[in-house]
Amino acid sequence: MKTIQITGPHETRVIEKEMPLIEENKVLLKINYVGFCGSDLNTYLGRNPMVKLPVTPGHEISATIEATGSGMPAKFSIGQLVTVNPYTNCGTCASCRNRRVNACEHNETLGVQRDGAMTEYIAVPWQKVIPAGNLSAAEGALIEPMSVGFHAVARAQVTDIDTVMVIGCGMIGVGAIIRAALRGATVIAVDLDDEKLRLAKEIGAQHTVNSRTENVHERLAEITDGLGPDVVIEAVGSAPTYLMAVNEVSFTGRIVYIGYAKSEIAFQTKLFVQKELDIRGSRNALPEDFQAVIHYLNRKECPTDKLISRIIRPEEAGEALKEWADNPGKVFRILVSFV
């Protein structure tokens, strides 16, 4: 079966692999579409320290059930459209004991610590398979990245009386904007790109700020009557946006960081104390976040066609990653089609 590999910095290839075996308590999936995410791009650029090369990327999965092993629950059927929870959990670490399995100390994500789904067929434990309802095959590949943003909003405990600033309007930020809006919050979207900000308005943001051309602090003061946003969700992973979150959040506000900053950051820690801030991390997503995204997408209110920047064949993966690396600001999701 046709399989994509990243073999080194700026190096990809398509190889042939044998079909996986169907084992007890596993489901054989025919892959429809898989999304390229930021971790895949960092692997391609040689910037992902968690990856051992060569690796098959891909954990944003749309698939159809091809066959099942013994011991399957009745909710699964041949031909059913599904997605996959791509994380593992050990069951014994502190995170797992606290039922926050998304943050398992020993997690291995598909396409990162183990081979991923950019191949024609994969076999996975049935416990990781999630029915996708009446979504299209392409929409199924948007569930996992959107769920990461949904989870960040849950971590921030957003309610309808909150003003929420989301920094970064890529796919993860899009998920955070949608979920915060669904909870009734007033949402402020911040990004460098006007096209992404226009989409942010379409999916629920009441206010947008272009941090390249506008003074963020002054605009926030206008929008919030000088108080600052109650919640800041950082979905970029850079030193300036990490600092922006602390500087701009209101007194007694909540900050949730999703993105990894690539360098050490020097904070004015007095703001942590003076503002009595809650500063939280957000990693991956829980099964209920996946379900919430599926419920939302099945309402058919999301302009998913605008979130899919490009659909490619496996042989085009290397060129697509190169183009994305050269112009990262213009991409929401690139989907690889195995249909």
Side-chain angles (χ1 to χ4, degrees), residues 169-205:
C169 297
M171 270 300 301
I172 307 303
V174 160
I177 291 166
I178 290 169
R179 190 54 165 163
L182 287 172
R183 290 191 173 201
T186 299
V187 182
I188 306 167
V190 179
D191 200 275
L192 302 169
D193 185 86
D194 283 330
E195 183 178 346
K196 288 186 174 180
L197 291 172
R198 282 191 290 272
L199 180 60
K201 271 282 187 80
E202 189 172 344
I203 60 175

Side-chain angles (χ1 to χ4, degrees), residues 124-173:
V124 298
W126 68 259
Q127 294 90 340
K128 297 296 182 180
V129 179
I130 304 171
N134 296 318
L135 301 185
S136 70
E139 288 172 335
L142 302 179
I143 296 169
E144 192 276 342
M146 200 174 285
S147 73
V148 176
F150 272 48
H151 183 68
V153 171
R155 289 282 294 137
Q157 298 175 299
V158 170
T159 73
D160 57 354
I161 64 171
D162 287 320
T163 297
V164 179
M165 177 169 74
V166 178
I167 309 174
C169 297
M171 270 300 301
I172 307 303

